[in-house]
Structures are given as C-alpha cells and as structure tokens.
Amino acid sequence: MAEDRPMSEATSGYATPLHTPLHPNAQLGPPRSSYFNPGPSLNNTPRDSLAFTPGTPNLDQDAGATPSQSTSFLPGRAEAAGVPVSATTARRPFYRRPVLWVALAALVAIVLAVILPVYFTVIHKTHHHSSSDISDPSNPSNPSSPSSSGNGNGNPGSPSGATSGSDGSTIVSGNTTFTYSNKFGGFWVDDPKDPFNNDARPNSWTPPLNTSWNWGTDHVYGVNLGGLFVLEPFISPALYQKYPGAIDEWTLSEAMAADTGPGGGLQAQLEAHYDTFITEKDIADIAGAGLNWLRLPIPFWCIETWPGEPFLAKVSWKYILRVFGWARKYGLRIYLDLHTVPGSQNGYNHSGRQGQVNFLNGIMGIANAQRTLDYIRIITEFISQPEYQAVIPVFGIINEALVSTIGQDQMTSFYLQAHDMIRGITGLGEGHGPYIAIHDGFIGISKWADFLPGSDRIILDTHPYFAFDGQPNNEPLVTDDGIGEPGGIWPKQACNAWGPNINTSQSAFGVTIAGEFSNGYNDCGLFINGVQGHPNFGGDCTPFIDWQNWNQTFKQGLLDFSLASMDATHNWWFWTWKIGNSSTSGTVEAPLWSYQLGLENGWMPLDPRASVGKCQALGANQVPFAGTYSAWQTGGAGAGTIDPVVSASFAQWPPATISDVDGVLYAALPTYTPTAAISTLPPAQLTPSVSQGDGWFDPQDTASAMTTVAGCSYPNAWDSDGVVTPTAACPASTLVVRATPAPTPPPVLL
C-alpha cells in the first residue's frame, strides 16, 4: 500500500541479473524494497536498482525513453510471453450435439429470434479435489467441469429455484444489468432460498467454495479491494481533493462531518462511496479475469468507535456483508484483513490516523492492544460461523504492524495471545475457523522462521514493493530484459529479490504469501506517498501518470514486470483492483496500481497463469518450494501444540516491557478492564424463512469486553505527545499480568 515505508535492517543475498551491463568488478547492493526492510530512515541506503553503463547497446534509441517516446520493441512480443492478445476464445458447448441437431437449433433461433435457455444442476463436489481439476492455460475456453454453464434463468432441476450462469449469462444487480464474461469455465450461483450456497466456481482450475483449499497445491491469483472501506488518498483521491486539509481518514472524517452544505456530511458521502466504488460487476469481472481470491481490508470502526474518534461507526458493515455475498456468488475466497486498529499500528494514513504508533507502544500501547484483541475476537466469532467459513478461509488480524518500533518480542506475545484466543473460539485443526495471517512487520521474512512451532494454521504475509525504497528507480522499463522482451532490469530483479526468500520461508515458517504487490516499480502517481508526500523518482513523473499515451513497448514492459512479480511471489494479491479518478483531471493518476485499468488497456495478463515459469525463463535465482508443509502448519497432526519452551517465553500478557514509555512506571501504564458488554456483528438481513447464525459462533465465549476503569482518566489513545505521564496505577493493581493457557488439543483417535 501507499505511503512511505520504513527501510528494513535485514540483508538478503541478491543475484545480479546476468544480462545487466555492469562493470565486471562492480558491486551491487541488495534491492531495498519495503518488503525486505524498513528501519527508521530512508536515507543513505544502497540503491535497489541498476544503472546501465554508458555506451551499452540498447534496443531503444534512448535508454531514458519515456513510456510514450520509446520505440516499438519487438514484433510478436505478447505472443512470446504466452499471454493472449485478446479474449477471442469461444465458449465450450454444454454437451456434444449431432450436426443435424445443431443445424436445426440454429434454424429455430433464426426463425423465432430467441435464445433457448440452457439449464443445469450444480453438482456438489467432494470435500477434496486433485490436480485433475486444473485445465491447460493455453486453452482457457476448455473448462474441466462440464456442469459450469447456465444463462441466469431459474433452474427447474433445483428444488430451491437456484439461479446460475456462466460466460454470456445476464446478471441483474439492483438497477443494473450486465453480461457475465468468463472464458475460464467459471460459473456463478445465486440461490434465493439458500443464500449460503457454496457451489460457485471462478474458473476451472480453482476448487469451488464447497471444496477444500489445499495450500501447496492450489495457487492464489488474487486482488485487493483497497480503498473501499479504508479510504486511502491515492485510491480515492477525489474525496481528499474536496477537502485539501485531509491527509488520512481521521481528518477526512472530521472535514466531511463539518461540511453541512449540499453534498456534504460524513455518512451521506461515505455511504455513497461504499455503495458505488466497488459494485457487483467488479466482483464478476475479477472472477472473469482468472482471479480466485479477494483480499478485503476493513476498519475496526465497522464494529464501533469510542468517544473522540471521528470515524463513521458501524455503517460499513452492511456493505462488507454485501461483498461477502458477491464473493460467494462468483466463487471467490476472501482473505479478510483488519487494516486499522486503535491507536495506529504503524502511523501510516491507511491505519486510520497518520503520525504516531500507539498500538503496543507508548503510554496507551497496552490499552490499545487490549481493545484490539476484542475486535479480533468479534470478527473471529462472525466469520467462524458455518455460513462464512468456506468464503473467508483467512483472517489477517493486524495489517503491517511496525515491528521496528513496537518490537518483535512484543508482537510475538500479542500474536500468541491472539492465536490462543482465536483457537479457543474455533477449535483446533483443519476445518475449525480461518487461517490466521500475520504480517512480517517490514523486518524481513527470514526473521520469522520457526515462529511458534506447533501453532495452528498461521500464515506469514509479506508486501513486496520497490516503490517505497526511497530510491530514484529511474532505470528504463523499455530496454531488453535479457530474453528479448521489454522490462529492463525490473522483471528479473523482482524474481531475485522476492522469489528465493518467499520460497525459503515456505519451509522455514510455513505458508507464506504476498498479500500486496503492484506494478509500481517507482513511486510516481497522485498521492502515492500521501497527500503531503513527494516522489523519490529520479525524473519527471508525468509520463508514468499519462497512461492514455503509453505505447505498446512500455505496456509490454509493465506486463513482463507484473508476470515476474506474480511468479516470484507465487500466492499473491495485487494492490489494488481499482483506482478512483482524480477530481481535477477526471481520470486515474496512479495507473501502476490499478489491476482493472491494466486489464482493460493491455499491461495486465488476460490469464494470470501466464506468470507461471516467468522467473525460470528469465534465468532468475529460484529455489522452488517442494509444496509440502508440516502437518501442524495446515491444521493436521500436532496443530495447536505449541512448543512449551517457546510458549513460555511469550506467554506473559501484557508483555513484560513495551517501547516509548521511558520514565514511566510500567505498573502505572493505563489499561482497560473487562467489564463491558461485548459488541457483536449483525448478520445480513434475509427473508424470515432463511436460517442463519446470530453473528456469534461460540456460545461458550461469554467474556466481557474491555472498557475504561470507572473514576480513572486516560491520555489520548491516538496522541501520546506531551501527555502527563502517570505515576501510579488507577486504581491500584489495574494492570493484570497473566499467561493464557493454550486451547486443549482434540483427542487423538486411534
């Protein structure tokens, strides 16, 4: 995601691309993407990019050619990349018909001028699938499932009247009607009498929702819905341009609430955004693009706000539920991401408030962490209900916590506390609640090796970006990438910088994913570094914003960089699906970050499977993962039996120390008390005849929620600057240090 990221202190080996014309004795420092790194400073760091030696042969006439000035590179370059130039494949017939029957059907169609409906019954799959479900990417119109068709009409073979359809079917969504386009054998299912039907499938190589997902075998091709429920300046620039003083959702909310004129107001404007920024057609288009997962960032204020917080409380939840429903309809799985927490976990604008880190850091650090655990608990209770488990298999419990500020031991204590709380709700092992995703915290994924061995289904998420390395990154994208394609140094650099570390982590940690990446190899684009930020790019950013004038060579270079990034990260979610228009230009001004725009204009792959093998073709330094995890890492034998020595090291909660509380008696740090009624997330409003849960999975989970201690005053939870430091606990012995027992493992069945 956008905005300045701290530089990592971690170092990793980096292989210089063999085709790069460097002096034989030149030394190349490791690339400094925010994925590797962030320490406290962006200054005096080695460059992550390579300079071309003057006089080196360059297939473009000008090595510094801009996206619009570069010459045509090579004929047939799209075909060489294995990417279809246009979606021209025909839909496969539902069943084989004799020639005479086909001719007769055509004649009837001409005479009657109607289309005969094709009906099918969606067949429930078994709980597991095999590699035979995967079809050939060179023939995307040949789905492996013969039942993946329909036209959107009621199916008389279904006792519930389920509606379903495949490529070419008509979708009616509210007041909008559109045609579903999916050349990959995907089909949608919408059953009014069974709204939790999980039969849909986005494409032929992805298991339908009613079938288990197998990490190590199945392949994530995903995209984020950034900027929908957590408003970022570069994704929704028009909202911020309307209020020039706004730099984050905190100040934007204040400005909107103060605007009482026509078109103003907080709730009216945000509801209009929630309702229109991402529509059902977007979700259908995502499935039709060969993608199979969504990553959905949500804010804690979809649950509640506390006094003094200006965010719009609770209103976004009904729109979040709507996205859940759309994802189910089109067979897309969701990685649900808690993107903001009280006090801010990183000080970035997308945490809610730009500036300080007050989560598990500073005077209010413990109190904010206590409150965050409540919100993780509430979300876990909702998505662990049987109606949602198949749709939301992964829950990211806190996005991009700034570990260099908070401390890795402190974050590990928090993660252990959250793990035990979540598994106490869901139970242990495969099929019991979602995988838990944690972010690498910008310290390098190798630092998380052997994390909580014996834990139950924890995923490590990393966000590889070159854009936020603080360097100019002005090497051209239109020069040869070493195999006769444009892309310059960037495709192979992505492979070498990201691939080996992620593959190693698959064994050293367990399931490791890239929850974010983009085409932003530089930081050009409106508000990419925040409203007040400026690009580090070493040149004029205008050509990188003027996407309407990009030539085919530059587009192909971007495509190759995208394919290499996808292959290097293996299981990925592009950041992000959509960038909103600027209110001044009326067009997208951060085009390197929009999957949708690239798909429509030729710099994103029409079939994401074209990325497989890209790094190998580039001759990159890859160490492939064998595809087999330890049983406990995927919910098998041993899951939930954390090594007792490791557990004891981090079991104390709150942690024994936190940072940025110099001079304050630790026992005097403000904390909350669990005496309030717990909030719950309401279910969707359905017809009375439909049975569904009440939003709370575990009836045994009856603990109260955190709240302020009566009679005690608290510093600002979001701003610890200049606060009067407490000298004694209020009341005495408020701070309770305890070790939470791990969930009891299920009995071993012999």
Side-chain angles (χ1 to χ4, degrees):
M1 290 171 39
E3 197 178 0
D4 285 346
R5 304 301 173 91
M7 298 296 295
S8 171
E9 309 297 339
T11 59
S12 299
Y14 173 62
T16 304
L18 298 177
H19 65 277
T20 304
L22 293 175
H23 188 279
N25 297 322
Q27 297 296 315
L28 178 66
R32 289 291 188 243
S33 69
S34 63
Y35 147 82
F36 273 125
N37 48 26
S41 173
L42 292 176
N43 298 322
N44 301 320
T45 55
R47 300 189 57 181
D48 72 329
S49 50
L50 310 177
F52 281 85
T53 304
T56 300
N58 187 345
L59 294 180
D60 251 14
Q61 293 178 354
D62 179 6
T66 67
S68 58
Q69 295 170 336
S70 57
T71 58
S72 179
F73 191 76
L74 288 174
R77 53 191 172 273
E79 292 82 355
V83 182
V85 176
S86 62
T88 59
T89 54
R91 183 167 47 141
R92 183 185 182 185
F94 178 61
Y95 55 85
R96 194 179 302 273
R97 297 178 173 85
V99 175
L100 181 61
W101 177 256
V102 174
L104 179 60
L107 179 62
V108 172
I110 295 173
V111 174
L112 299 180
V114 296
I115 299 174
L116 297 179
V118 179
Y119 299 112
F120 77 100
T121 301
V122 177
I123 299 182
H124 285 264
K125 313 295 180 187
T126 59
H127 289 290
H128 295 277
H129 68 285
S130 68
S131 59
S132 63
D133 293 326
I134 301 175
S135 62
D136 181 2
S138 65
N139 187 13
S141 64
N142 184 25
S144 63
S145 172
S147 62
S148 58
S149 66
N151 70 347
N153 293 318
N155 182 357
S158 170
S160 64
T163 300
S164 56
S166 62
D167 184 45
S169 57
T170 299
I171 307 289
V172 178
S173 180
N175 297 323
T176 302
T177 300
F178 62 90
T179 300
Y180 183 50
S181 177
N182 188 315
K183 309 301 180 183
F184 302 115
F187 56 89
W188 54 269
V189 177
D190 187 16
D191 189 338
K193 296 183 180 179
D194 180 13
F196 303 112
N197 184 304
N198 290 328
D199 292 334
R201 188 176 197 174
N203 47 60
S204 62
W205 59 86
T206 298
L209 294 178
N210 59 22
T211 305
S212 60
W213 179 270
N214 296 321
W215 293 101
T217 302
D218 296 318
H219 194 141
V220 175
Y221 303 97
V223 70
N224 282 269
L225 299 184
L228 175 56
F229 300 119
V230 179
L231 304 185
E232 298 193 39
F234 88 102
I235 302 176
S236 302
L239 293 175
Y240 285 86
Q241 288 170 321
K242 183 177 180 179
Y243 301 101
I247 60 172
D248 49 29
E249 193 156 349
W250 183 291
T251 51
L252 180 65
S253 298
E254 290 178 325
M256 286 181 168
D259 182 359
T260 59
L266 178 60
Q267 182 164 342
Q269 292 188 84
L270 288 190
E271 281 216 70
H273 172 78
Y274 299 153
D275 193 38
T276 61
F277 186 69
I278 296 292
T279 65
E280 181 176 352
K281 187 177 186 303
D282 286 294
I283 307 303
D285 288 346
I286 288 169
L291 303 173
N292 53 16
W293 278 75
L294 303 174
R295 182 169 178 262
L296 182 62
I298 63 172
F300 75 82
W301 50 87
C302 71
I303 301 171
E304 66 179 13
T305 55
W306 280 18
E309 294 173 338
F311 309 114
L312 181 63
K314 303 182 179 182
V315 174
S316 63
W317 178 245
K318 67 179 180 181
Y319 297 98
I320 294 171
L321 286 174
R322 185 172 70 169
V323 174
F324 292 172
W326 288 340
R328 187 193 309 274
K329 179 174 180 177
Y330 294 97
L332 298 167
R333 289 169 171 81
I334 294 176
Y335 167 7
L336 190 66
D337 170 58
L338 183 58
H339 220 65
T340 73
V341 301
S344 177
Q345 73 276 20
N346 52 37
Y348 301 150
N349 61 36
H350 49 75
S351 69
R353 188 171 189 180
Q354 181 174 312
Q356 302 172 22
V357 177
N358 288 290
F359 165 83
L360 214 55
N361 183 70
I363 302 299
M364 287 295 289
I366 292 175
N368 282 325
Q370 291 175 314
R371 188 178 164 200
T372 298
L373 284 169
D374 273 348
Y375 297 147
I376 293 172
R377 173 187 168 205
I378 292 166
I379 295 170
T380 299
E381 288 284 4
F382 189 92
I383 65 177
S384 297
Q385 297 176 107
E387 294 90 345
Y388 293 95
Q389 283 195 41
V391 181
I392 310 170
V394 177
F395 177 24
I397 58 176
I398 181 168
N399 177 64
E400 295 186 344
L402 193 57
V403 176
S404 60
T405 294
I406 299 169
Q408 188 174 14
D409 286 350
Q410 286 75 13
M411 284 305 306
T412 301
S413 293
F414 178 83
Y415 288 145
L416 176 59
Q417 186 78 6
H419 169 275
D420 291 350
M421 177 187 69
I422 291 170
R423 295 306 174 216
I425 293 168
T426 68
L428 293 170
E430 181 182 9
H432 294 89
Y435 276 71
I436 301 167
I438 66 171
H439 183 253
D440 68 6
F442 305 113
I443 62 173
I445 54 180
S446 63
K447 297 292 183 66
W448 299 95
D450 300 318
F451 177 78
L452 297 182
S455 57
D456 183 16
R457 291 168 293 148
I458 298 182
I459 290 175
L460 182 61
D461 185 0
T462 187
H463 298 168
Y465 289 121
F466 289 131
F468 304 118
D469 58 16
Q471 305 303 318
N473 293 350
N474 57 350
E475 283 71 17
L477 194 75
V478 295
T479 52
D480 182 8
D481 65 356
I483 58 172
E485 292 290 333
I489 66 167
W490 298 105
K492 192 169 184 179
Q493 186 155 320
C495 292
N496 285 334
W498 305 334
N501 294 282
I502 290 176
N503 287 337
T504 298
S505 182
Q506 306 285 5
S507 299
F509 177 96
V511 180
T512 304
I513 61 177
E516 297 180 18
F517 81 100
S518 78
N519 280 338
Y521 70 96
N522 61 42
D523 59 350
C524 289
L526 179 64
F527 297 156
I528 291 297
N529 288 316
V531 173
Q532 300 169 325
H534 301 284
N536 292 293
F537 175 67
D540 180 12
C541 273
T542 303
F544 296 93
I545 297 172
D546 187 20
W547 57 270
Q548 297 92 333
N549 290 312
W550 289 353
N551 66 14
Q552 189 57 38
T553 305
F554 185 77
K555 290 181 180 180
Q556 185 64 35
L558 272 183
L559 176 60
D560 283 1
F561 176 61
S562 176
L563 293 172
S565 300
M566 293 172 179
D567 194 30
T569 54
H570 192 68
N571 290 298
W572 49 263
W573 286 259
F574 187 91
W575 186 273
T576 184
W577 171 249
K578 179 180 179 180
I579 299 293
N581 290 338
S582 162
S583 62
T584 57
S585 66
T587 189
V588 173
E589 293 192 33
L592 298 177
W593 299 78
S594 174
Y595 199 110
Q596 179 190 57
L597 192 68
L599 194 65
E600 294 170 346
N601 291 278
W603 64 84
M604 293 302 289
L606 297 181
D607 184 345
R609 294 174 298 167
S611 63
V612 177
K614 181 67 174 179
C615 289
Q616 182 179 4
L618 288 164
N621 180 25
Q622 297 293 291
V623 182
F625 171 55
T628 302
Y629 297 102
S630 297
W632 60 268
Q633 293 171 333
T634 55
T641 57
I642 298 176
D643 184 305
V645 175
V646 175
S647 180
S649 300
F650 301 103
Q652 180 174 312
W653 181 256
T657 61
I658 63 173
S659 299
D660 291 343
V661 292
D662 294 343
V664 179
L665 181 65
Y666 186 74
L669 292 175
T671 58
Y672 298 131
T673 182
T675 58
I678 190 73
S679 297
T680 59
L681 289 167
Q685 294 183 355
L686 303 173
T687 59
S689 61
V690 174
S691 175
Q692 64 173 326
D694 61 0
W696 201 258
F697 172 70
D698 180 13
Q700 304 303 314
D701 180 9
T702 59
S704 298
M706 291 292 174
T707 188
T708 57
V709 177
C712 294
S713 59
Y714 288 82
N716 187 331
W718 293 81
D719 185 358
S720 59
D721 284 350
V723 301
V724 177
T725 58
T727 58
C730 177
S733 302
T734 295
L735 183 63
V736 178
V737 178
R738 64 183 183 276
T740 301
T744 302
V748 177
L749 300 179
L750 301 178

